[in-house]
Amino acid sequence: MQCLECGSAVANLDNSHLLRCCSLTLQEYAIRHHLPLDLLIDQELLNRTDNPEDYPRPKAYPSEQARAIYRGLKWGGLLQREEAFSIVPGEIRRLDMLLWNLQWLSEYGFLFRQEYRYAEETHRVVAVNRLKVPAAYLALSAEAHLSPVPPPDFLLSLAVLVAHIGELQAGYLFLQLPGRAAGETIMAEACRHGIEFRELDAADQSDGLLLRTLTRSDTQHLLALIKDDLMEIPCAMERFDRKTPEVTVSKELIFDAAHFITDHPAKCSNLHGGRYLLHVKVRDRIDPVTGCVVDYGYLKWVANRRVIDRFDHHNLNYATSELAWRSSTEMLCVFIWEQLIEYLPGLVELQLYETTQSWCKYSGPTLEAFQQSGSDSLLTHFVDGKLGASQLRDLIREKTPTLEIIAKSQS
């Protein structure tokens, strides 16, 4: 086989040759030359079993730097168990970040592995990049490794967390955490540094926590606070400051619902139903790490949770007080916008079709503007505490009978 990098003929094209030849791994080589791994991989490397005895013994007392990085990865759910091993998964796009972790986690006995498997569901050979260590090693010197007392450098742990799982949407930082305890710790510590997070009920695990910086200034403050640490982590800062093209993505959703229009002069005042078609559009820069503006799965989950589940096969007028008076497509769009903007700060447009001939397009306030102004008064008329305060109500209010006392004249 000829190496397309150095031109030499080799018996087996593997990491041993490629790292000497061009400093690429086999998976990077396959991507660069758009070749399937099936044509490159030595069959002996497929589904190879790892032996725990091949791993070096850990240090008795890992450094504070190593412990801080370990904790940040653990917060993000990136320390996972697989049979006899603990692993830290990585992505080929950010291989250098995984190797940066390795230079510190080697103190625990971790090694880098690029493993190759035949995936039956995709009918092809796939590569997985991870750091691995025998799980028993992490149980050694538990007081040193897994001490409940956090390392002194909270900001380094936070930087590691943000570098690995932080997602930026329209200037707001999102952190999807697998455990509530870690999220509460992060919120409390960040608050001491003047940074506020908001918890959103869109965690992807039952006991997890989704955090979003409260304001754009909180995001800026946080990134400035951990910038020096982020600069040390390969591929970290590009996710937050690299200029990439802006793209609008759209998700189509459907719900069936009935409604009526109060005081409508025509037949729309009658209860009637139909199928609504909703397009949710989000615009932002392409994340250089994911290659996406926003994950379609997250977009769909939020829209279903916040909108579709509330409206589908319901009477819109009774689904929420904001629509009890008028459940027109226009009012629906304003309401839907307010349900989504906290979760999708890059939201730029909604299109709602009541029929193929009747539809509404709406662009509402940014999250920052919504935080300042609150819910649109169109939606709050009937829940406003001032409703009914007019003196004109005296004209229709029944008057309380007055008791007249007539003094009896004494003869």
Side-chain angles (χ1 to χ4, degrees):
M1 182 181 297
Q2 183 180 23
C3 174
L4 298 178
E5 290 293 322
C6 66
S8 61
V10 294
N12 293 310
L13 195 63
D14 55 19
N15 283 337
S16 179
H17 167 78
L18 288 171
L19 289 171
R20 290 195 308 270
C21 161
C22 55
S23 297
L24 299 180
T25 66
L26 185 60
Q27 187 183 13
E28 290 170 313
Y29 175 91
I31 294 172
R32 171 178 286 187
H33 297 287
H34 47 89
L35 294 170
L37 283 169
D38 308 59
L39 299 180
L40 303 174
I41 196 73
D42 184 337
Q43 294 298 309
E44 293 184 359
L45 297 178
L46 283 178
N47 303 317
R48 175 179 285 183
T49 301
D50 215 355
N51 187 352
E53 295 182 1
D54 293 338
Y55 285 74
R57 302 293 293 179
K59 285 187 175 181
Y61 297 98
S63 65
E64 291 184 354
Q65 181 96 349
R67 293 174 63 199
I69 292 166
Y70 182 97
R71 183 176 68 158
L73 294 171
K74 188 176 182 181
W75 279 347
L78 297 173
L79 280 168
Q80 303 168 5
R81 183 69 181 264
E82 187 177 284
E83 297 179 347
F85 291 91
S86 291
I87 64 169
V88 176
E91 302 171 0
I92 193 62
R93 173 63 176 77
R94 298 201 288 178
L95 184 60
D96 284 344
M97 179 181 288
L98 189 65
L99 299 178
W100 181 86
N101 292 327
L102 176 63
Q103 70 176 338
W104 297 105
L105 294 185
S106 60
E107 296 183 25
Y108 289 93
F110 279 91
L111 292 177
F112 169 74
R113 293 286 188 258
Q114 186 174 92
E115 299 173 336
Y116 312 99
R117 302 168 181 172
Y118 179 77
E120 293 185 357
E121 60 274 13
T122 61
H123 304 289
R124 64 187 179 91
V125 173
V126 298
V128 289
N129 299 280
R130 59 253 294 260
L131 305 183
K132 294 179 68 175
V133 69
Y137 283 13
L138 299 183
L140 298 174
S141 304
E143 183 177 346
H145 291 186
L146 306 174
S147 171
V149 179
D153 197 348
F154 164 76
L155 293 181
L156 177 56
S157 293
L158 183 61
V160 169
L161 175 72
V162 170
H164 285 78
I165 70 166
E167 292 189 17
L168 201 62
Q169 293 186 33
Y172 294 83
L173 182 70
F174 286 72
L175 296 173
Q176 187 75 254
L177 301 165
R180 172 167 289 276
E184 291 174 348
T185 297
I186 292 164
M187 284 193 291
E189 291 292 332
C191 187
R192 294 189 179 96
H193 291 274
I195 299 164
E196 291 189 68
F197 282 95
R198 176 174 178 181
E199 177 184 348
L200 301 176
D201 59 343
D204 58 7
Q205 297 185 34
S206 58
D207 57 345
L209 195 64
L210 175 61
L211 300 181
R212 190 209 71 217
T213 46
L214 183 62
T215 66
R216 293 162 70 103
S217 62
D218 284 311
T219 304
Q220 295 165 2
H221 184 187
L222 186 152
L223 292 178
L225 199 61
I226 61 175
K227 183 176 181 179
D228 289 344
D229 289 323
L230 288 177
M231 293 290 289
E232 295 293 323
I233 304 174
C235 312
M237 280 304 296
E238 67 173 346
R239 193 166 199 180
F240 308 113
D241 64 4
R242 180 175 172 182
K243 293 188 180 299
T244 57
E246 285 197 357
V247 176
T248 300
V249 297
S250 181
K251 188 70 179 177
E252 180 179 287
L253 303 109
I254 296 172
F255 61 93
D256 297 310
H259 78 135
F260 57 86
I261 304 297
T262 305
D263 296 332
H264 193 277
K267 58 184 180 181
C268 283
S269 63
N270 298 327
L271 181 65
H272 58 286
R275 172 155 291 185
Y276 289 82
L277 182 67
L278 174 65
H279 289 170
V280 179
K281 299 183 179 183
V282 175
R283 184 172 182 82
D284 206 343
R285 61 188 273 274
I286 298 175
D287 186 325
V289 170
T290 65
C292 305
V293 167
V294 62
D295 186 277
Y296 279 114
Y298 172 76
L299 200 164
K300 180 181 179 181
W301 193 94
V302 167
N304 278 328
R305 176 79 176 271
R306 303 291 299 173
V307 179
I308 307 302
D309 292 348
R310 184 193 298 247
F311 290 156
D312 192 40
H313 285 75
H314 284 82
N315 185 325
L316 298 176
N317 297 75
Y318 303 138
T320 178
S321 60
E322 289 90 344
L323 302 173
W325 166 63
R326 286 286 167 95
S327 51
S328 62
T329 53
E330 296 91 333
M331 295 285 281
L332 271 167
C333 279
V334 176
F335 177 79
I336 292 171
W337 186 278
E338 295 188 359
Q339 295 300 303
L340 298 180
I341 190 63
E342 292 274 7
Y343 300 79
L344 300 168
L347 187 63
V348 291
E349 184 179 286
L350 297 174
Q351 282 184 289
L352 181 64
Y353 291 80
E354 187 170 356
T355 70
T356 54
Q357 295 84 28
S358 303
W359 56 278
C360 175
K361 181 168 69 174
Y362 174 67
S363 294
T366 64
L367 176 53
E368 189 173 21
F370 178 68
Q371 289 173 330
Q372 294 173 356
S373 63
S375 187
D376 196 290
S377 60
L378 271 174
L379 301 175
T380 60
H381 176 81
F382 286 94
V383 295
D384 191 331
K386 296 178 181 178
L387 183 65
S390 168
Q391 292 183 356
L392 295 173
R393 300 298 173 107
D394 290 340
L395 297 173
I396 58 174
R397 186 181 291 116
E398 289 188 11
K399 294 182 179 180
T400 304
T402 57
L403 181 62
E404 294 184 9
I405 300 178
I406 302 175
K408 211 179 213 181
S409 61
Q410 299 193 3
S411 53

